[in-house]
Amino acid sequence: MRTETPHAIYLKDYTPPAWLIDTVDLHVAIHDGYAEIRARLACRRNPRGAAGALILNGEELALRAVGLDGQALAPSRYTLADSTLTIVGADSGPLPEAFMLETAVRIEPDRNTRLSGLYRSRDGYFTQCEAEGFRRISFFPDRPDVMARFTCTVEADRERFPQLLSNGNLAASGISETDASRHWARWEDPFAKPAYLFALVAARLDVLEDSFVTRSDRTVRLAVYVEPGKLDQCGHAMAALKKSMRWDEERFGLEMDLDHYMIVAVGDFNMGAMENKGLNIFNTKYVLARPDTATDTDYQNIDRVVAHEYFHNWTGNRVTCRDWFQLSLKEGLTVFRDQEFGADTHSRAVTRIQSVRTLRVGQYPEDAGPMAHPIRPASYAEINNFYTATVYEKGAEVVRMIHTLLGRDGFRQGIDLYFQRHDGQAVTCEDFVAAMQDASGVDLSQFRCWYARAGTPHLKADGSWDAASRRYTLTLTQSLAPTAYEQRLTDAGVAIETGPLHIPVALGLVLPDGSDAPLRLAGELASRGATRCFP
């Protein structure tokens, strides 16, 4: 059997999409052994993109029909390859500036063992679309900078699959007019999102329901769906969700924007959890707990993971990644946010110790090994390989350094400006740092190097005390050894970042009697606090 060498994709080669999708209307009909998916895409030429054909991604899809503006498309107007569907204009001319594309495909979710796309689990059908799973459901330009408003109608057997769920708000539901044994539900998501955030569930599940009143006095319906017989184990997850919602309002001014918010716990889910808009899908490990079987650590992990996925509603969903190189834009920032939630909810000192321990045990060896890479890599062959401790944990520490440099109020001002500028957009790490810099006035030009450098920097500290002048001199020396990552980029002809990394340092001195010494830099007034942070 021949194995093809993965083709490297480079950040420097990014180009905007040639076509944008304004709306997606899906109809998913689940039958024994197969599913039929009809899709209507409102396509529009991107004025910032290159002219050309419409190329849609698709894997393991049996194409049944393709049409444009209500008319079947002639075979000469499209080309079906192993992983793409290409649409061209009539007589080799250009496509219209805007049109409606209709496709119908058949898939076999019962045979989907990759757990990517739509797949069968014991109690029903579930989806996982990050990073590139939607192309296993329907033909689509499956990249995060193509954001569309989704409507999804799910149809299945009433008895076997009583719950039919998708993103957004429930718009309508009913019994099939042609078959009384089947039912349907139509979900509408009012917010544009990339295809990786699409979710669908058709299953027999038990449900715990509750509600939450937002600070603007809106009532949001909450639901936690679990496998039958496990309803007694999801109360803590519901409580964690409500705590997360309140905390995000109080700490960052971010309110839930949908009428429904749902969590579904599945045993056959190969990620910890997924932040699909309004319909989070979890592995049961991070939802189910009761006092006679769970430890304190289990309860804390549920708190943090439920919070993490909820916080993605803004840092990842409302503002998402332009491309997969920017993965830490959403993950590093959201890990920082769930760490702060853990610190405010439990113990700040203990939460910080746990975070640092995770960094040292999981991320430091990654930085020191052959897989070293920056929090925003310059290339990848397979994006699923970059869901790493570097992107998540080190990414959170980089965000934490910005928080340290700007202070709590300055960071909040930066977050506010970030959403003011980029709500509903797919953006880059530079956009995030620019918002932080512009809101605070703190120059973060050198700080941007953190996004391009691999490895763990080492600081050497030399201190001396002059009793006569009461002057303490601290000299810091920074070093960062080259990694295999830089060599790979050099071999590929890609320019690498050099220069020192911007690291804030907190300093405090203790007097002989154990009290804190007031500090000042040469030429400054003494600080009132015992500890100073120097950029």
Side-chain angles (χ1 to χ4, degrees), residues 427-446:
V427 301
T428 66
C429 296
E430 285 91 350
D431 293 319
F432 174 75
V433 178
M436 290 292 164
Q437 177 173 289
D438 294 348
S440 65
V442 175
D443 185 1
L444 296 175
S445 300
Q446 187 65 29

Side-chain angles (χ1 to χ4, degrees), residues 58-114:
E59 294 180 2
E60 299 184 15
L61 307 177
L63 182 63
R64 298 303 189 194
V66 55
L68 193 149
D69 288 334
Q71 299 295 319
L73 209 58
S76 61
R77 298 280 304 278
Y78 65 91
T79 302
L80 182 62
D82 287 342
S83 59
T84 58
L85 174 65
T86 302
I87 311 295
V88 298
D91 300 323
S92 300
L95 285 163
E97 291 297 301
F99 56 88
M100 188 71 70
L101 180 72
E102 300 98 9
T103 61
V105 302
R106 177 177 288 199
I107 61 175
E108 298 181 343
D110 292 49
R111 301 177 63 181
N112 180 5
T113 57
R114 289 173 56 180

Side-chain angles (χ1 to χ4, degrees), residues 130 196-197 274-275 308 312 315-317 319-321 324 326-335 387 392 418:
E130 188 177 356
Y196 84 84
L197 290 171
M274 178 61 205
E275 70 267 21
H308 181 97
H312 266 312
T315 50
N317 296 2
V319 180
T320 194
C321 304
W324 289 118
Q326 320 295 331
L327 182 59
S328 196
L329 173 75
K330 73 182 184 79
E331 295 300 348
L333 175 56
T334 305
V335 169
Y387 285 77
Y392 281 69
Y418 178 61

